[in-house]
Amino acid sequence: MALMTGEEYIESIRKMNMEVYLFGKRVDCPVDDPILRPSLNSVRMTYDLAQMPEYQDLMTVISPYTGQRVNRFTHIHQSAEDLMNKVKMQRLLGQKTAACFQRCVGMDAFNAVFSTTYETDQAHGTHYHENFKKFMTYVQDKDLTVDGAMTDPKGDRSKAPHAQEDPDLYLHVVEQRPDGIVVRGAKAHQTGILNSHEVIVMPTISLGPEDKEYAVSFAVPVDTKGIFMIIGRQSCDTRKREHTEIDVGNSEFGGVEALVVFDDVFVPNDRIFLNGESEFAGMMVERFAGYHRQSYGGCKVGVGDVLIGAAAVAAEYNGVDKASAVKDKIIEMTHLNETLYCCGIACSAEGYPTESGNYIIDLLLANVCKQNVTRYPYEIARLAEDIAGGLMVTAPSEADLRDEKLGPVIEKYLKGRADVSTENRLRILRLIENLTLGTAAVGYRTESLHGAGSPQAQRIMIARQSNLNHKKALAKAIAHIKED
Ligand code: SF4
Ligand code: FE
């Protein structure tokens, strides 16, 4: 089958029978819900851009497994160049949506599960890699969106999965059957699951032999019996129900997260990618996290581009764009943003093949990339707010602007430069508000901190990968130190 158009994608999601809850009620048609629809539009952009000749090389690739042109979001990386193109594609999508476009988690899960299943089979004589390849070619053929589900609720963080008072706080196998397994548990903060056709589930941490039943990976359609999701609230989300364009800041695009419950879900044998081989859980986690930490060197940079542009426009509208202090702030924002991009490109350029043949990023550099992402977007956001001024949080609503009596007053008193309409000034300030404090702040701020693992998780990996003994040996050689 050919690549799907954006419209075909929307209709394919509409046909699914997902169990979705928002504000205590089941959502009949998530595709048409005003709060949820912008997040679907963001994923749609991954389909729309793939149809455009100017983006074909970045957005699509010939699959070595099917021989067909597939969307890069379903691709298994074959080279360091593929890894770099992935980051470039993510930057482009961040620029086009100014939001989380969600489809990357599946791509990152694809590549982590591809190599881990290969190595698990080598060690155990299992057939997980074959299962995964069958699933992968199905996804490529149908051009599906896949969610990658890793984060378990985790309960008491000081206790291993099997030692939790409630055994379901990590997703686990509750029944082994001749034709498959039954799983129970939940995955938290699931980016884009609502807009996905399939979900790949992976373990959330390295596991010991006593946690065998938690060492499980598989893929199922998102509307499989027993799966339901509770949508996460976002700051300012109900503005999307007010039929306003200005007040939401970004009326077309958004992101979405959900708590996803797996209430005794059956997984057939050919969809299982790990089932009890606990020593391979850590490999899958580390590789997925590494790929997703690389991803942030692309997507957050693209959103950062929009925020920098918005700050520059706000400065122009206020008539301060020529002030050296403002120019310097824009330079600083650009410097920080491009530093993140450098990290994304660098960990990709240093990529290397795994035993299975697909390419993986340099894990040290990918973790450094994400560690910087836990900091720089906050500083970029601070500088954008600095340039925007207090009006970005004190401006009246669009309803007031449209009011017969209040509109002209707002027009008069909230004007910046005489040749710029007050409406345009408010539009750009609301976009900055959306990116720094509103719905998009989930993706641009807090997700920069905690997404793909919280800062401490990267510091552990940096310590593990930094080869300190080599550095000590270098110093001793230069200092001519000879130890007995
Ligand atoms: Fe993709 Fe970024 Fe969203 Fe992760 S946070 S799914 S990398 S856009
Ligand atoms: Fe993320």
Side-chain angles (χ1 to χ4, degrees), residues 258-272:
L259 174 68
V260 187
V261 179
F262 291 76
D263 189 14
D264 290 358
V265 172
F266 174 70
V267 183
N269 280 331
D270 66 346
R271 285 295 194 95
I272 299 173

Side-chain angles (χ1 to χ4, degrees), residues 112 147-154 186-188 190 200-205 281 284-289:
D147 178 55
M150 178 159 280
T151 311
D152 287 290
K154 296 199 280 284
K187 292 286 181 183
Q190 281 315 294
I200 296 181
V201 168
M202 297 163 284
T204 206
I205 48 168
M284 202 179 273
V285 173
E286 194 172 292
R287 290 183 179 178
F288 172 78

Side-chain angles (χ1 to χ4, degrees), residues 84 87-88 91 296-298 301 336-346 369:
M84 286 190 277
V87 171
K88 291 176 187 175
R91 183 172 188 169
Y296 281 26
V301 180
L336 293 170
N337 205 40
E338 297 301 335
T339 303
L340 299 179
Y341 187 56
C342 293
C343 293
I345 292 294
C369 176

Side-chain angles (χ1 to χ4, degrees), residues 172-217:
H172 61 137
V173 179
V174 292
E175 192 187 343
Q176 301 276 358
R177 289 175 25 180
D179 53 346
I181 53 175
V182 178
V183 298
R184 187 186 304 152
K187 292 286 181 183
H189 327 301
Q190 281 315 294
T191 295
I193 183 146
L194 164 73
N195 303 321
S196 302
H197 304 95
E198 298 269 345
V199 54
I200 296 181
V201 168
M202 297 163 284
T204 206
I205 48 168
S206 300
L207 298 167
E210 63 289 350
D211 283 320
K212 264 183 184 318
E213 73 191 59
Y214 296 91
V216 61
S217 176

Side-chain angles (χ1 to χ4, degrees), residues 100 105 191 292 296 300 447 451-452:
C100 167
V105 273
T191 295
H292 210 55
Y296 281 26
K300 303 292 181 244
E447 196 188 33

Side-chain angles (χ1 to χ4, degrees), residues 61-131:
V61 67
I62 303 293
S63 165
Y65 307 98
T66 68
Q68 300 297 311
R69 186 168 291 280
V70 298
N71 193 298
R72 192 178 289 282
F73 280 96
T74 67
H75 182 49
I76 300 293
H77 312 303
Q78 303 295 310
S79 63
E81 196 187 352
D82 268 353
L83 290 168
M84 286 190 277
N85 279 335
K86 170 195 161 185
V87 171
K88 291 176 187 175
M89 170 179 77
Q90 290 168 312
R91 183 172 188 169
L92 174 71
L93 274 147
Q95 292 171 342
K96 297 284 188 192
T97 60
C100 167
F101 38 90
Q102 306 145 54
R103 207 173 170 187
C104 333
V105 273
M107 168 174 54
D108 293 340
F110 250 47
N111 279 276
V113 174
F114 183 88
S115 61
T116 306
T117 50
Y118 181 88
E119 290 178 47
T120 311
D121 286 356
Q122 296 293 309
H124 289 276
T126 41
H127 299 283
Y128 300 135
H129 192 61
E130 212 173 284
N131 286 352

